[in-house]
Structures are given as C-alpha cells and as structure tokens.
Amino acid sequence: MNHPVRDIPFPDALSTDASSAPHPLLAPVTGFLGTWRGTGSGGYPTLEADFTYAQEVTFSHDGRPFLAYEARAWLLDADGKPLRPSARETGWWRLQPDGRVEALITQPTGIAEILSGHARDGAVGLATEQVSLAPTAKEVDATRRRYTLTDPDTLAFVHDLAAAGRPLQHHLSAELRRTAPGQGG
C-alpha cells in the first residue's frame, strides 16, 4: 500500500531533544554535543583589517557513529553588535574505532573540505586531506582546525588557513560557551 509521506512519522533525530543514545564510537567527542556560542577574532594577509566575530557551533547525532556539525558566524562592529552574516558551514564528523576523525565540511561559498585527525583528551585536531572548489569559489589550498574543551562548558576554536597563494597560517580563534546541552551525552 502506498502512503503519502505526510502520514509517516519521521522523527527529527538530530534535534537537541532526541532520545537516542550516542553511538559508542562517539565516546571521545560526546563532550562536544550541544550548541556553543561566543566571540572571536580573525585576520588574514589578504583582508584589509583584522575583525571580531560572533560564532555559533552545533554538534548533534542520531545514534549512528558520526556527528552532525553546523557553524555560523557574524561580523561584529566595535561595540560588539552584528554587522552582517559571515561564514557558514555544515558537515559531518565520522568517528573511527581508533579515535580517528574524518570530517566533511561544506560552505555556501563553493568550498568543500575533507579533513582528518584525532579525538584525544577533550580535543579534536583536523587537517585538510582534500579541498574541492566550485568554479567561482575563492582559492583555498588547506585548513587546520582545533576544537578543545577547556572545561565542560567552554570550547576553544582555532582555524588556520592556506589561501590565495599564502602558506598555512592563523586565520580565526574563538572561545565558545555551551548554551544548549547535547543529547544523549
């Protein structure tokens, strides 16, 4: 019998109130589950000036061995008020039995990254394996990211970038506070 999709209850397993327990392979990163917000600073030789920004990062799961990842950022003025939306990205972190992390991250600016690294002691370090660019995307050759739980409710973020013919160097750093708990953690 053919049923219309609207009659089938599809649970939103990635919402923060989902009841599924994290997959055992997520054990090294369950502390990241939830929503984090804070501010940071950034700069790069190709930019006119350094800048401050607000950032929100959400990690969620649906019971399988990967995290859903979403990050949004807003440029801030000198008074800390939002000027406009800035970076946005979404992706998946795939956890492996030995603590390795494989991450797939895409940005609406036409950049898709595949990164790998490890989860250890409340920190995840990721480095680019491959970058794919849409035909009109800005040149990005590599990135390196580090997410560190400095305490159960504080997440430090550092992002290095190699772009526009420049070598890998510091681009962003932020301190984020947990604003919503993770599910099943």
Side-chain angles (χ1 to χ4, degrees):
M1 180 180 224
N2 202 359
H3 296 282
V5 172
R6 66 180 170 4
D7 293 341
I8 300 172
F10 291 105
D12 183 5
L14 292 175
S15 69
T16 55
D17 61 356
S19 61
S20 62
H23 189 281
L25 286 179
L26 294 182
V29 294
T30 56
F32 289 80
L33 291 170
T35 298
W36 305 81
R37 290 188 184 123
T39 59
S41 61
Y44 204 71
T46 58
L47 300 175
E48 289 181 25
D50 291 349
F51 58 90
T52 58
Y53 69 100
Q55 185 173 26
E56 177 183 84
V57 176
T58 301
F59 295 98
S60 57
H61 76 93
D62 67 0
R64 294 181 285 170
F66 48 81
L67 293 181
Y69 163 83
E70 182 177 9
R72 303 183 307 160
W74 299 264
L75 289 178
L76 300 176
D77 67 15
D79 295 323
K81 293 187 173 46
L83 290 170
R84 65 176 173 82
S86 184
R88 187 162 193 165
E89 54 189 29
T90 187
W92 304 96
W93 289 15
R94 298 165 18 109
L95 278 288
Q96 305 303 310
D98 61 357
R100 281 183 307 119
V101 180
E102 299 171 348
L104 301 96
I105 298 175
T106 61
Q107 301 168 18
T109 55
I111 301 166
E113 299 177 58
I114 298 174
L115 306 104
S116 64
H118 284 86
R120 287 192 189 103
D121 303 322
V124 173
L126 299 168
T128 301
E129 293 287 333
Q130 183 176 354
V131 177
S132 292
L133 303 173
T136 59
K138 292 183 180 178
E139 175 191 344
V140 171
D141 296 313
T143 66
R144 183 174 47 214
R145 299 156 183 255
R146 184 152 179 88
Y147 302 81
T148 305
L149 291 171
T150 58
D151 66 53
D153 290 316
T154 306
L155 179 65
F157 169 67
V158 176
H159 184 191
D160 297 332
L161 176 67
R166 304 285 205 267
L168 192 65
Q169 59 193 285
H170 179 75
H171 176 45
L172 304 169
S173 59
E175 184 174 285
L176 311 174
R177 301 287 298 164
R178 187 187 304 272
T179 62
Q183 80 268 20

